[in-house]
Each structure stands twice: as C-alpha cells, then as structure tokens.
Amino acid sequence: MSATPTLGFLLHDVARLLRKRFEQRAKCLGLTRSQWQTLAYLSNNEGIHQGGLAEILEIEPITLVRILDKLAERGLIERRQHPTDRRIWLLYMREEAHPLLAEMRELGDVTRGEALEGISVEQREQLYQILSVMKTNLVQACRTPVEENETNDG
C-alpha cells in the first residue's frame, strides 16, 4: 500500500479536521456538533419537514427528533404543523437563533482561514472549481445504478 493517501482519504481527513477545529472554537456556544450542523442546514432550508432535513443531514429521523427537541428547548427552532397534513411538522429558525448563526459563521470563516493559509486566491478559486466539478460528477453518478460487474479503477 502506498504511503500517499488516496483522494478519498485526504478529503475525509481535511473535512474531519475542519470539523474538529470548528468544534474547538464553537465549544463556547454550548452546542453539540449535531446541533450546530442541524441549525446550519435548517438556516438554508427553512420550512422543510423533519424527514427532509434528516435526509439532508444523512441521519435517522428519530435521531433528528432528539436534536430538534434540544434546539426547541433552547428556543432556537420551532415546529409548525403543515397546513394540510397534520402528521407533518415544518421547521423554522427562531429569532434567537440568528445571533448564534452569525457567531457560527464567524467561527467558520476563521477556521477556513486557518485551513487555507498559504494558499493563493487563484489556487483557492481553482480548488473550489475542481471540488464543485467533482461534486457535480458524483451527484450525477449517484443517480445512476452501479452495474454488478463494474470494477473500481480508482
């Protein structure tokens, strides 16, 4: 096995270390990682139902319910009943969450700055372009069933 990490391992490690460093900074906010991730995704998807948010977060709906209960107890989110389907709850941010989100964004900016230190503006733009193309390719690939005989060339 090569000492050079594969692209997948390198991307995973960078993402893990970004989360770890953000968590170190965000500890003062009194939120768990799952809580701040939920708030971050909800801020971009207000009015989504619980099942849809669980899918975006890639967690089980029952796990999300527990996270939402804690956020609701802190007065950061609210559940509203769907206007035509009483079984569905829609999720919204409360005003109290917005200053917290602003702090989270600032901490994220500082963390990204640490990660991108020494990388030129041109290199950053190229990195974002490459990662965006990779994401688009993989989203498209995930919509296509994998052939049973398909081999992994790497």
Side-chain angles (χ1 to χ4, degrees):
M1 193 166 174
S2 171
T4 305
T6 64
L7 177 63
F9 278 110
L10 187 57
L11 288 171
H12 176 78
D13 283 346
V14 169
R16 178 183 55 79
L17 289 166
L18 278 169
R19 284 190 307 272
K20 180 178 182 174
R21 185 61 175 154
F22 181 86
E23 286 173 9
Q24 288 174 337
R25 292 186 175 287
K27 197 174 223 174
C28 63
L29 301 178
L31 295 173
T32 66
R33 178 195 310 173
S34 56
Q35 289 171 340
W36 58 254
Q37 284 178 324
T38 300
L39 282 177
Y41 278 96
L42 180 56
S43 71
N44 293 321
N45 296 281
E46 283 201 78
I48 193 170
H49 60 86
Q50 292 180 180
L53 186 57
E55 190 173 311
I56 290 171
L57 290 166
E58 296 183 351
I59 60 176
E60 293 297 318
I62 190 66
T63 302
L64 179 60
V65 168
R66 290 186 204 111
I67 296 166
L68 294 172
D69 287 346
K70 295 286 186 196
L71 292 172
E73 285 172 22
R74 284 192 60 180
L76 300 174
I77 62 121
E78 66 180 289
R79 295 173 172 110
R80 299 180 195 160
Q81 229 170 11
H82 190 280
T84 59
D85 189 340
R86 294 180 1 173
R87 298 168 296 169
I88 297 176
W89 291 92
L90 306 179
L91 304 169
Y92 293 88
M93 306 290 296
R94 293 186 45 117
E95 279 303 312
E96 294 82 350
H98 293 284
L100 191 58
L101 280 171
E103 283 186 68
M104 288 170 51
R105 286 187 180 107
E106 286 177 32
L107 295 176
D109 289 343
V110 171
T111 303
R112 279 186 297 281
E114 286 178 319
L116 294 168
E117 189 173 325
I119 300 172
S120 71
V121 172
E122 294 81 18
Q123 289 173 315
R124 291 176 189 201
E125 289 173 5
Q126 189 176 23
L127 175 64
Y128 287 121
Q129 289 171 355
I130 291 168
L131 290 173
S132 294
V133 170
M134 288 174 64
K135 179 181 176 182
T136 300
N137 291 344
L138 290 168
V139 165
Q140 196 64 23
C142 286
R143 292 183 180 145
T144 306
V146 176
E147 296 289 330
E148 295 261 339
N149 322 353
E150 188 175 314
T151 59
N152 183 5
D153 294 329

